[in-house]
Amino acid sequence: MTQKILILQGDGIGPEIVAEAVKVLHWLVGEGLDIEFDIGLIGGSAYDASGHPLPEETLQQARAADAVLLGAVGGPQYESLERSLRPEQGLLGLRSELKLFSNLRPAILYPQLAEASTLKPEVVAGLDIMIVRELTGGIYFGQPRGVRTLENGEKEGFNTLVYRESEIERIGRSAFEIARQRGKRLCSVDKANVLEVTELWRQVMTRLGAEYPDVELSHMYVDNAAMQLVREPKQFDVMVTGNMFGDILSDAAAMLTGSIGMLPSASLDANGKGMYEPIHGSAPDIAGQGIANPLATILSVAMMLRYSLCEAGCAGRVEAAVGKVLDRGLRTPDIATEGQATVNTADMGDAVVDALAEEN
Ligand code: NAD
């Protein structure tokens, strides 16, 4: 059955990097991949065209699609808009409307780029971790929340860390399934020694573990997990955790790799439908210059093939092609070491397509 991909270029470097990812998809279509494209507007460009960062039409297109590929949104020209009209609200709106509760953030460091990390190359070269973060619950959404004034006049801020069994089970299943497709090791991160809600988290994960005997489940307190990520990150395969812990750990893990232009991400719903995007933003400082690194977006396509389109073979080919262009020394300026020759955005996209074609 033909699967439908919605392409949302967004703002800044969005159109430049998405164009290269679409080149890769077109090449795969030529090889028999059965997909069709739809194109929509989001973020600042949607605001410019329609007065809203997430037009109703885009929402309908996204609901009708099997997967969404997004560039990035935002730009200084939109910063003075009222909050509900800012580009980022388009993105947040789409995530919540599509109920994308499972956020997959890989931290991959291609051995060829080990010098880009702030850690020693031997600690990070070949790093390949997947952090699965719960995205629509936990302390970022829990009620009650606010700032109140106490009887003595002092102010008190409060938020609520709350997870239902069903929410934990849902993200747990998502993580176990992903671990099954990778190295079959899952580390659940909590603070069960202090927080009752994460004691429940650990119980549910343990219960679920019995249903996935082929996946080795371990548990780790979040403070230790933070420490282990910088001490010996290659010990991890898949990590699963709640919204706030995941927010912090996934940023730390991404920075282990030192190259923001290389990292893809996915946000999935309960049926595997997903939105795929690079972790970086719209980079207004380099927009329009044709020098942005398109590899994070191309690797987002690989994730889309693997997690929404059930095309693991194609996903592997795209990832291998990216490895090959790096082996050959092709570098956009963000991943080049001093004095190294660089290529532009379109050349990098073409090189990935050429590397794909060579495999045939
Ligand atoms: P950014 O990620 O856009 O840029 C940070 C730095 O990394 C910049 O120097 C930029 O040039 C560089 N960079 C980013 N992507 C690159 C790439 N593919 N190739 C080469 N260099 C790259 O973060 P920022 O500057 O803090 O934010 C810029 C805008 O993006 C803001 O409006 C912000 O709100 C928005 N933003 C959007 C998203 C998203 O769409 N998911 C995420 C983060 C930030």
Side-chain angles (χ1 to χ4, degrees), residues 10-13 17 70-79 87-88 91 95 259-263 265 275 277-287 291-297 332-335 345:
D11 311 318
I13 60 169
I17 52 177
L70 181 118
V73 298
Q77 66 273 45
Y78 305 110
E79 275 163 19
E88 294 74 14
L91 199 53
R95 284 180 187 152
S259 44
I260 196 172
M262 293 294 303
L263 293 177
S265 78
M275 182 154 83
E277 53 184 316
I279 67 157
H280 60 72
S282 58
D285 54 332
I286 57 165
I291 56 167
N293 185 347
L295 293 180
T297 319
T332 43
D334 59 304
I335 51 172
T345 309

Side-chain angles (χ1 to χ4, degrees), residues 11-271:
D11 311 318
I13 60 169
E16 300 164 47
I17 52 177
V18 169
E20 302 312 309
V22 169
K23 267 185 200 167
V24 169
L25 280 168
H26 274 304
W27 188 86
L28 292 170
V29 169
E31 292 292 295
L33 180 68
D34 193 7
I35 54 169
E36 62 183 32
F37 298 95
D38 194 6
I39 294 174
L41 289 171
I42 193 163
S45 51
Y47 173 81
D48 290 339
S50 72
H52 199 278
L54 181 58
E56 183 54 33
E57 192 188 343
T58 303
L59 207 45
Q60 298 296 348
Q61 289 172 297
R63 288 194 181 114
D66 295 294
V68 179
L69 178 67
L70 181 118
V73 298
Q77 66 273 45
Y78 305 110
E79 275 163 19
S80 54
L81 290 174
E82 74 166 81
R83 185 165 290 277
S84 68
L85 295 176
R86 288 193 204 152
E88 294 74 14
Q89 295 304 313
L91 199 53
L92 296 176
L94 203 50
R95 284 180 187 152
S96 86
E97 286 291 330
L98 296 182
K99 301 190 172 54
L100 305 175
F101 67 90
S102 176
N103 187 212
L104 276 50
R105 294 263 309 252
I108 305 162
L109 183 54
Y110 284 85
Q112 303 91 324
L113 302 178
E115 295 296 331
S117 175
T118 48
L119 297 194
K120 290 184 192 137
E122 63 268 26
V123 176
V124 288
L127 182 74
D128 182 0
I129 307 177
M130 177 71 81
I131 298 192
V132 180
R133 167 191 172 196
E134 202 289 327
L135 200 58
T136 54
I139 197 164
Y140 292 176
F141 293 91
Q143 295 287 347
R145 62 193 296 157
V147 178
R148 61 191 162 212
T149 305
L150 302 174
E151 275 174 16
N152 66 0
E154 189 186 5
K155 283 191 174 155
E156 177 181 73
F158 56 100
N159 287 88
T160 305
L161 175 47
V162 58
Y163 270 118
R164 291 181 183 192
E165 275 185 299
S166 55
E167 286 176 296
I168 304 169
E169 199 172 315
R170 192 171 65 163
I171 190 71
R173 279 191 195 287
S174 185
F176 273 107
E177 294 292 340
I178 284 155
R180 255 189 184 161
Q181 295 181 47
R182 292 174 42 104
K184 299 190 170 48
R185 286 183 298 117
L186 177 63
C187 177
S188 171
V189 176
D190 60 41
K191 189 72 182 169
N193 51 340
V194 177
L195 300 170
E196 286 82 352
V197 52
T198 70
E199 214 178 312
L200 178 67
W201 178 283
R202 190 175 281 219
Q203 283 165 16
V204 173
M205 288 296 165
T206 304
R207 195 171 71 212
L208 268 182
E211 290 180 38
Y212 296 86
D214 52 325
V215 176
E216 184 194 313
L217 173 68
S218 60
H219 303 275
M220 198 177 273
Y221 297 138
V222 64
D223 41 350
N224 188 23
M227 199 169 77
Q228 295 300 331
L229 264 179
V230 287
R231 194 182 74 89
E232 197 196 335
K234 283 192 268 184
Q235 70 183 280
F236 297 110
D237 175 23
V238 181
M239 302 173 89
V240 60
T241 190
N243 205 342
M244 180 168 64
F245 295 164
D247 190 2
I248 299 163
L249 292 181
S250 64
D251 266 21
M255 282 306 110
L256 293 177
T257 75
S259 44
I260 196 172
M262 293 294 303
L263 293 177
S265 78
S267 306
L268 304 178
D269 76 359
N271 304 311

